[in-house]
Amino acid sequence: MPMSSRYIVRFTSAALLVGFLALTAIVAMNFWLGERAQSYFDDAIAARDTRIAAVELRNAMQTAEASQRGFIITGNEIYLAPYQSAKTQAQRRLLALETLLPASPDSAATLQRLSTIISSKFDELDHTIELKRSQRDDEVLAIFRTNKGKALTDEANVFFAGIIGRADDRLTAGVDEQRTNTGLLRLVSAIGALVIVAVVSGAAYGVARYTRELRGTRDEVNTLNRDLERRVAARTADLAQARDRAELLLSEVNHRVANSLALVSSLVNLQSKAVNDSGAKDALAETQDRIFAISLVHKRLYGTGGVGSVSLDEYLSGLLDHLRTSLRSQVHGVNLSYAIDPIELETDISINLGVVVTELVTNAFKYAYPDTVGEIRVRLEKLPDQQAELVVEDDGVGRAEGAPAKGTGVGSRIVNAMCVSLGAKIDYQKRHPGTAARLVFSTKPRRTAPAQ
């Protein structure tokens, strides 16, 4: 069964926790055994010092008694040489025992009785020595015959044996405890080591298995990615071919539309030549200019290969050059100039704008300078926030406020309709002299481009 990342994390965390607990147990055991070893060391030193004090106290008493016996038997003072030092040593060792023996009722009773015995024993020894010095041997012999001194010595030896035995028992118990603790430490260390080895082995196995599974998953993902890349490349190629075919078809459509509009324009031109009425000729000429404005967009689309937008500086420049040529042949002495900023605009909006420019320029040619010559200026400027401004101005007679439209009024209706489609409103401003037609419109795309 595959191992999930959550499972490997839980398994590794559990293994690390078990290993940590095992390590903690080993460390705790070492600390505890260290404390026990220190306690045993202190107790062993105290037991050793107690044993030494008891043995040296017993030896001091034996030395003092031997010195007293030698003096009693021989009467020679030289035997009393070690007596005082033995007596002093006995007193010092008795004080040491009082410090070393543990505080308990039994120890207190033992020390009290041992102190009484030693005091009585040395009182007897001192008394017999004084009697010997006074040459009162009979009294000394009488004291010996009472066996009081021997009884005190035997009782003291019993206490000494008990103190030494208890000290030996403490040492023996401490050694046994240390052996037991050492064995326990070995056991805990062995178990802990086995647990840690098992934890590390399990974690290593889990990580190795998870790594193998990750490697296999990565290979599968790489294989799927390569297959997906091949599919995407094939799909992209198909889409590119379809896009190329669509662009080719659209270009062909634009070409055919441009040709059809050119044919219509030619037919209108032929019709205008067959008409003798000047009003009809002018109407047909205006219609021909409108058709040219529309057909020019399709020519640009066909020539550039673009299908979504039109470059206004190229489109309007061509349109205005055409109007200047065609209108100057009808109205002499009027000059047309223009300044067009490079702006990209959607195809449908560009057609509407071209029709508006055609109507405004045509009207200016026809009505601005009825009796004089002058200039017509066209300006297209890019404004902030994706806005643009179109201005067609002249220095002619101007436009009277409230006066009816000159001619048939079709041009004005066409301009208003195109402005509505542009989402804008045309503003006619008086100049001194002349008139300026101003139109501000948005250049933002009105539809979202299809995804590639």
Side-chain angles (χ1 to χ4, degrees):
M1 183 179 65
M3 299 177 65
S4 64
S5 58
R6 180 178 298 179
Y7 174 79
I8 193 65
V9 168
R10 290 180 178 177
F11 175 77
T12 305
S13 300
L16 291 176
L17 178 61
V18 172
F20 175 75
L21 293 177
L23 183 60
T24 303
I26 295 174
V27 173
M29 179 61 69
N30 276 280
F31 274 110
W32 181 77
L33 290 179
E35 293 294 328
R36 292 301 304 162
Q38 183 63 41
S39 176
Y40 164 72
F41 180 73
D42 296 338
D43 191 62
I45 291 177
R48 182 202 64 184
D49 293 342
T50 302
R51 193 179 192 285
I52 291 174
V55 170
E56 289 184 350
L57 177 57
R58 183 181 62 184
N59 292 339
M61 290 184 64
Q62 290 175 352
T63 300
E65 190 174 14
S67 176
Q68 179 253 3
R69 291 289 189 270
F71 175 70
I72 294 298
I73 294 172
T74 62
N76 191 349
E77 288 284 343
I78 195 172
Y79 283 98
L80 293 177
Y83 179 77
Q84 289 300 328
S85 61
K87 183 177 180 181
T88 302
Q89 179 75 7
Q91 295 297 330
R92 189 161 51 245
R93 292 305 174 185
L94 180 61
L95 293 176
L97 282 178
E98 292 177 356
T99 304
L100 293 171
L101 286 177
S104 66
D106 293 341
S107 298
T110 298
L111 286 173
Q112 183 178 3
R113 180 56 187 166
L114 185 60
S115 178
T116 302
I117 291 172
I118 292 174
S119 177
S120 300
K121 181 62 177 180
F122 278 105
D123 288 343
E124 180 200 6
L125 294 176
D126 291 339
H127 183 59
T128 56
I129 290 173
E130 291 299 326
L131 290 176
K132 180 61 178 178
R133 285 175 177 167
S134 301
Q135 295 182 358
R136 298 161 63 181
D137 294 340
D138 293 337
E139 293 182 16
V140 172
L141 184 58
I143 292 173
F144 282 168
R145 286 175 178 172
T146 60
N147 291 325
K148 181 180 178 181
K150 182 179 183 305
L152 291 173
T153 300
D154 290 342
E155 187 177 359
N157 287 332
V158 171
F159 282 109
F160 292 145
I163 292 172
I164 294 171
R166 285 195 294 273
D168 291 340
D169 291 341
R170 288 168 61 187
L171 291 172
T172 302
V175 171
D176 291 340
E177 182 182 357
Q178 289 302 304
R179 288 175 179 171
T180 302
N181 292 342
T182 302
L184 183 61
L185 177 61
R186 291 195 188 99
L187 178 61
V188 171
S189 299
I191 294 175
L194 290 176
V195 171
I196 291 175
V197 169
V199 167
V200 172
S201 300
Y205 170 75
V207 170
R209 180 179 172 184
Y210 186 64
T211 302
R212 288 196 303 270
E213 293 180 359
L214 283 179
R215 190 180 297 113
T217 304
R218 182 195 62 193
D219 295 339
E220 292 178 2
V221 170
N222 290 337
T223 302
L224 292 175
N225 283 337
R226 287 192 294 269
D227 183 60
L228 181 60
E229 288 173 358
R230 287 194 297 269
R231 293 183 181 181
V232 169
R235 180 60 176 168
T236 303
D238 293 340
L239 290 176
Q241 292 178 359
R243 182 190 61 193
D244 293 341
R245 288 195 297 268
E247 291 181 352
L248 180 61
L249 290 174
L250 186 56
S251 178
E252 183 64 23
V253 168
N254 286 321
H255 178 57
R256 293 181 181 275
V257 170
N259 290 340
S260 298
L261 291 174
L263 179 60
V264 172
S265 178
S266 299
L267 293 176
V268 171
N269 186 32
L270 290 176
Q271 185 66 40
S272 66
K273 291 179 179 180
V275 174
N276 294 323
D277 183 78
S278 59
K281 283 183 177 289
D282 292 340
L284 290 174
E286 292 176 4
T287 302
Q288 187 177 2
D289 290 336
R290 294 164 187 156
I291 294 173
F292 179 81
I294 298 172
S295 66
L296 186 59
V297 172
H298 292 279
K299 288 181 180 180
R300 292 288 176 184
L301 294 176
Y302 173 73
T304 60
V307 296
S309 63
V310 175
S311 179
L312 293 182
D313 55 337
E314 297 179 359
Y315 166 58
L316 293 182
S317 296
L319 176 62
L320 290 171
D321 288 340
H322 168 75
L323 291 175
R324 180 164 51 193
T325 301
S326 63
L327 292 174
R328 286 182 67 178
S329 64
Q330 304 173 25
V331 181
H332 300 286
V334 179
N335 185 40
L336 175 64
S337 63
Y338 56 83
I340 310 296
D341 286 348
I343 300 174
E344 292 285 334
L345 202 61
E346 291 181 355
T347 302
D348 295 341
I349 302 176
S350 298
I351 293 174
N352 297 336
L353 186 64
V355 173
V356 171
V357 170
T358 300
E359 295 298 327
L360 293 176
V361 171
T362 301
N363 287 339
F365 261 94
K366 290 173 62 177
Y367 305 117
Y369 302 102
D371 302 321
T372 61
V373 296
E375 184 178 10
I376 299 172
R377 295 177 293 276
V378 179
R379 185 176 71 253
L380 179 66
E381 292 183 357
K382 184 184 298 184
L383 301 179
D385 299 328
Q386 293 183 297
Q387 297 285 318
E389 180 188 48
L390 172 67
V391 177
V392 179
E393 62 183 12
D394 60 70
D395 302 321
V397 297
R399 178 177 178 177
E401 185 175 354
K406 297 179 180 181
T408 63
V410 175
S412 297
R413 290 195 295 273
I414 291 175
V415 169
N416 292 331
M418 295 297 102
C419 288
V420 171
S421 65
L422 288 171
K425 184 178 181 181
I426 192 165
D427 181 23
Y428 294 99
Q429 301 174 347
K430 289 184 178 182
R431 300 179 71 253
H432 300 285
T435 303
R438 180 175 178 270
L439 177 67
V440 178
F441 58 94
S442 173
T443 61
K444 293 180 181 180
R446 299 190 181 183
R447 59 176 180 269
T448 303
Q452 295 294 324

